[in-house]
Amino acid sequence: DTEVTQTPKHLVMGMTNKKSLKCEQHMGHRAMYWYKQKAKKPPELMFVYSYEKLSINESVPSRFSPECPNSSLLNLHLHALQPEDSALYLCASSPPGAANEQYFGPGTRLTVT
Amino acid sequence: EDQVTQSPEALRLQEGESSSLNCSYTVSGLRGLFWYRQDPGKGPEFLFTLYSAGEEKEKERLKATLTKKESFLHITAPKPEDSATYLCAVRPGAGRRALTFGSGTRLQVQP
């Protein structure tokens, strides 16, 4: 298995809803990432997990809550989001090593109404 | 502060018309420079990693090169299916895993 999968592909949620995004990889990668991407902008890093521990939080609001239950799975729990949080949410993973390339999933297109 | 600047912002080519995309960077201790291709509404697809000045990598019609200050992505005889946004990203040193992305070049190849 050489890919990163993300579910759901599309998500529409109200500002009072609670939902979760899921990301999975079976490539043995030990670093996993969440990015947010707005239209015509580059991906912006949100969180990094290294060996299932949160190593980077780029000052993301607490309404986004990441979780890494095991080395293959990464979740992003969403609660009380704002319309401006609508974006493409990308998950990526990278193998152990020095300058390691990151492999991205197809993303979840999130719309907050 | 790490910075990545890509030019041009958008590029329109005729099929078969070769060109180059530029990625200029300022980073402390470059650990790697990455090129990605992104189609609309999809995740970036990894293309190349370059580690040191003088290095070159090729894949089909694409060739990436690296100097101490910039990288070029050369597209030879492009086809319409090469239309996409091409993103450049750098990983700085000091153990930081996060990538710094440029804003991308939107390439359109017309038949």
Side-chain angles (χ1 to χ4, degrees):
Chain A
D1 193 344
T2 59
E3 64 174 0
V4 177
T5 59
Q6 290 187 243
T7 54
K9 290 186 179 178
H10 302 276
L11 178 62
V12 179
M13 60 185 291
M15 290 189 285
T16 58
N17 292 158
K18 283 186 181 181
K19 296 286 184 183
S20 296
L21 310 185
K22 180 180 172 181
C23 173
E24 203 161 357
Q25 58 86 17
H26 297 285
M27 296 180 280
H29 293 177
R30 301 309 298 269
M32 296 184 77
Y33 312 76
W34 280 115
Y35 287 85
K36 171 182 176 179
Q37 187 176 27
K38 303 282 268 185
K40 297 188 178 181
K41 297 288 187 182
E44 296 176 9
L45 183 69
M46 300 174 72
F47 303 104
V48 181
Y49 273 84
S50 180
Y51 291 84
E52 295 105 72
K53 290 191 185 331
L54 183 64
S55 61
I56 295 178
N57 177 340
E58 293 286 299
S59 302
V60 179
S62 60
R63 56 186 184 269
F64 295 91
S65 175
E67 178 196 20
C68 189
N70 58 58
S71 60
S72 299
L73 191 56
L74 185 67
N75 298 319
L76 185 64
H77 303 297
L78 314 173
H79 174 55
L81 295 193
Q82 304 296 311
E84 59 264 29
D85 296 322
S86 299
L88 182 68
Y89 287 83
L90 295 163
C91 173
S93 69
S94 62
N100 36 33
E101 56 267 19
Q102 295 179 16
Y103 294 90
F104 285 81
T108 292
R109 171 69 62 190
L110 173 67
T111 303
V112 182
T113 60
Chain B
E1 184 184 333
D2 304 325
Q3 225 169 8
V4 181
T5 304
Q6 290 188 247
S7 61
E9 189 175 312
L11 181 62
R12 184 177 295 180
L13 299 173
Q14 291 297 124
E15 184 171 3
E17 180 187 0
S18 301
S19 188
S20 295
L21 314 183
N22 177 265
C23 171
S24 299
Y25 64 90
T26 304
V27 66
S28 52
L30 181 72
R31 298 290 291 278
L33 185 141
F34 308 89
W35 281 99
Y36 288 87
R37 169 195 168 124
Q38 187 172 24
D39 293 301
K42 297 188 176 180
E45 175 191 344
F46 170 74
L47 293 174
F48 303 110
T49 307
L50 300 166
Y51 295 101
S52 56
E55 190 174 1
E56 298 182 354
K57 295 264 179 84
E58 282 189 71
K59 180 180 178 180
E60 295 180 355
R61 295 177 292 282
L62 301 177
K63 179 180 177 180
T65 61
L66 181 66
T67 72
K68 288 187 177 179
K69 293 184 178 180
E70 56 192 350
S71 177
F72 292 94
L73 185 65
H74 308 277
I75 303 178
T76 302
K79 298 182 178 182
E81 53 262 41
D82 295 321
S83 299
T85 294
Y86 290 86
L87 294 165
C88 171
V90 298
R91 185 184 169 195
R96 182 170 162 80
R97 287 180 173 271
L99 295 181
T100 299
F101 280 89
S103 297
T105 293
R106 289 191 305 279
L107 174 66
Q108 185 178 1
V109 182
Q110 296 181 313

